[in-house]
Amino acid sequence: MSANSITGTIQAIRTATGATSGIVLHEPTFAGNEWAYVKDTIDTGWVSSAGKYVNQFEEQLQEFTGARRAIAVANGTAALHVALLLAGVERDTEVVMPALTFAATAAAAAYIGAVPHFADSEYTTLGIDPDKLAAHLDSIAERRKDGTYNKTTGRRIAAIVPMHTFGHPVRMDELCALCEAWNIPLVEDAAESLGSYYKGKHTGLFGTLGTLSFNGNKTITTGGGGAILTDDVALADKAKHITTTAKLPHKWEYFHDMVGFNYRMPNLNAALGCAQIEQLPTLLAQKRVLAERYIKAFACVSGVQFVREPEHCVSNYWLNAIMLDKADMTLRNDMLEQTNAAGLMTRPVWTLMSRLPMYAAAPRMDLGVAQDIEARLINIPSGAGLAAGAPSEMAG
Ligand SMILES: *Cc1c(COP(=O)(O)O)cnc(C)c1O
């Protein structure tokens, strides 16, 4: 049975990608104007903190996502850091987030001196389970004049931060209702979900602010980069100000009206982003083709399930994933060993944030589902370029 699911997985990855080895987890695709725009920044000398590509990239992001404002920044972690600050997160408050996330979500809260409060996931979305969180808040939270507090720690709960795991949107209707009922700001970590929609609306637009990442392994890349999305123009102006050293505009004076961050995205990186976002619809279509090939290829592999987009959602299928039928660390590790040895790059999901030493004392609810997913989930090769390699009998 276990040998079966491993050889079956190797065969399914080869069938879906049309390659036998040398496949990495997520390779960027540069098929458009990337070189022309990047070269232009060098030819003109505008590589750094000024130049036309930053504004252009922000406008393209607004147009693609439907956000009223997009603010390009140095990376997704910086975007989250500033989004949490602007949502009102302060030292010694708590930020509710999934235990099953990348380290950046928790780090952004910790930068402010806030404490992550870990929530469990659900199987269908891999993200926060809104029903379980609702029950948890009923037992530990209380409304006071100046906000919602965790009765057991005495700290204010300053934000709820869902994360759309591998591009699969969380149940936002339920989560938004919960945030409204408790009057807690919602900030979405949409780092993995550019091009993912919940009931027709782009992820990252449901709360006060949302954040994106354009790291080298994300759906589109600027080398390193991120963005803050918001429909609140005043917050957007603040985000721009605080991420660009908080300098007041002037012909020559250097006057900064607060401690700002140097979190701006350089023009060089934005140039790459402008070319990449032109390619985004094509990349998303290719990723969908690859996911559909995986669905077919894994249909007859015993012991594993391919993770599919949740109901009412369009997922960008940023990282494809399979789940072992049961939590079995020996099988999981054998699967990782043998797929990687075969030249097919696979990776386990992140170690739960709740198990990292710096968050040992952080509050948490029961994390049974997240722990189960941690022992069962494996990411498989996902670059958009792999869709081109599949053999014709898999097409359609
Ligand atoms: C990629 C990612 C980020 C941001 O990462 P950067 O490398 O700083 O751009 C944040 N949260 C999640 C869940 C991510 O996957």
Side-chain angles (χ1 to χ4, degrees):
M1 160 79 166
S2 69
N4 251 349
S5 55
I6 295 175
T7 51
T9 294
I10 290 174
Q11 193 46 52
I13 295 173
R14 287 181 171 154
T15 305
T17 61
T20 52
S21 67
I23 312 177
V24 303
L25 197 63
H26 199 289
E27 208 161 26
T29 303
F30 300 125
N33 290 314
E34 285 85 355
W35 177 237
Y37 295 171
V38 168
K39 185 171 182 301
D40 180 50
T41 69
I42 296 168
D43 289 344
T44 58
W46 293 104
V47 293
S48 189
S49 54
K52 66 178 181 188
Y53 288 108
V54 176
N55 289 343
Q56 191 182 314
F57 186 47
E58 289 176 342
E59 280 164 23
Q60 285 170 301
L61 283 169
Q62 287 160 196
E63 195 175 328
F64 184 86
T65 60
R68 203 144 164 221
R69 293 281 300 276
I71 298 93
V73 296
N75 56 63
T77 312
L80 266 172
H81 181 190
V82 169
L84 292 180
L85 279 172
L86 293 177
V89 174
E90 301 168 301
R91 174 167 296 281
D92 294 326
T93 61
E94 292 182 10
V95 178
V96 174
M97 65 181 69
L100 188 81
T101 185
F102 176 61
T105 322
Y111 293 168
I112 302 173
V115 180
H117 184 138
F118 297 118
D120 203 11
S121 294
E122 59 183 350
Y123 292 109
T124 47
T125 68
L126 308 176
I128 288 186
D129 180 338
D131 304 327
K132 198 166 173 179
L133 178 57
H136 178 64
L137 289 177
D138 282 340
S139 75
I140 63 111
E142 81 181 358
R143 291 286 296 272
R144 295 187 196 160
K145 283 194 303 292
D146 61 335
T148 294
Y149 279 74
N150 180 342
K151 286 183 287 190
T152 61
T153 63
R155 288 185 291 245
R156 185 168 69 86
I157 301 175
I160 296 181
V161 184
M163 194 280 283
H164 306 290
T165 312
F166 311 138
H168 302 305
V170 174
R171 278 195 284 148
M172 290 310 301
D173 282 348
E174 290 81 354
L175 213 52
C176 289
L178 193 60
C179 287
E180 205 156 303
W182 286 99
N183 195 25
I184 302 172
L186 176 73
V187 176
E188 280 172 272
D189 182 350
E192 306 186 351
S193 59
L194 177 63
S196 296
Y197 299 81
Y198 176 83
K199 296 190 176 173
K201 183 168 168 178
H202 197 280
T203 52
L205 304 185
F206 289 83
T208 314
L209 302 127
T211 62
L212 300 172
S213 167
F214 312 112
N215 192 34
N217 61 350
K218 294 299 203 297
T219 301
I220 64 168
T221 184
T222 58
I228 298 167
L229 304 177
T230 183
D231 286 337
D232 183 325
V233 174
L235 274 185
D237 288 341
K238 276 191 191 165
K240 192 68 176 177
H241 187 62
I242 198 174
T243 56
T244 55
T245 73
K247 181 183 171 300
L248 297 186
H250 189 276
K251 274 184 297 209
W252 48 68
E253 297 291 353
Y254 292 96
F255 189 86
H256 305 256
D257 62 355
M258 61 185 290
V259 178
F261 297 98
N262 181 13
Y263 275 174
R264 74 178 104 225
M265 176 182 284
N267 200 48
L268 181 69
N269 301 74
L272 189 56
C274 289
Q276 283 270 281
I277 200 167
E278 290 172 358
Q279 300 293 310
L280 182 52
T282 307
L283 296 172
L284 291 169
Q286 289 170 338
K287 290 176 84 67
R288 181 155 290 271
V289 166
L290 180 63
E292 279 161 8
R293 286 175 182 164
Y294 273 135
I295 289 167
K296 277 192 200 166
F298 276 101
C300 53
V301 180
S302 66
V304 302
Q305 295 287 327
F306 181 78
V307 177
R308 302 176 69 155
E309 69 194 345
E311 262 188 313
H312 313 300
C313 296
V314 176
S315 173
N316 65 3
Y317 281 107
W318 169 55
L319 271 195
N320 292 300
I322 53 173
M323 286 257 256
L324 305 177
D325 282 355
K326 55 184 190 319
D328 178 345
M329 273 308 214
T330 311
L331 173 58
R332 189 200 81 155
N333 293 340
D334 284 351
M335 178 81 86
L336 289 164
E337 282 293 344
Q338 290 186 42
T339 47
N340 282 287
L344 313 173
M345 189 165 160
T346 60
R347 287 291 181 263
V349 74
W350 316 283
T351 300
L352 296 186
M353 295 302 103
S354 49
R355 297 208 292 117
L356 300 182
M358 52 285 195
Y359 308 123
R364 65 205 56 196
M365 65 165 79
D366 170 77
L367 297 173
V369 174
Q371 283 158 359
D372 186 56
I373 293 172
E374 184 189 28
R376 290 173 55 192
L377 194 137
I378 291 175
N379 286 118
I380 59 176
S382 302
L386 293 173
S392 54
E393 73 265 21
M394 286 297 295

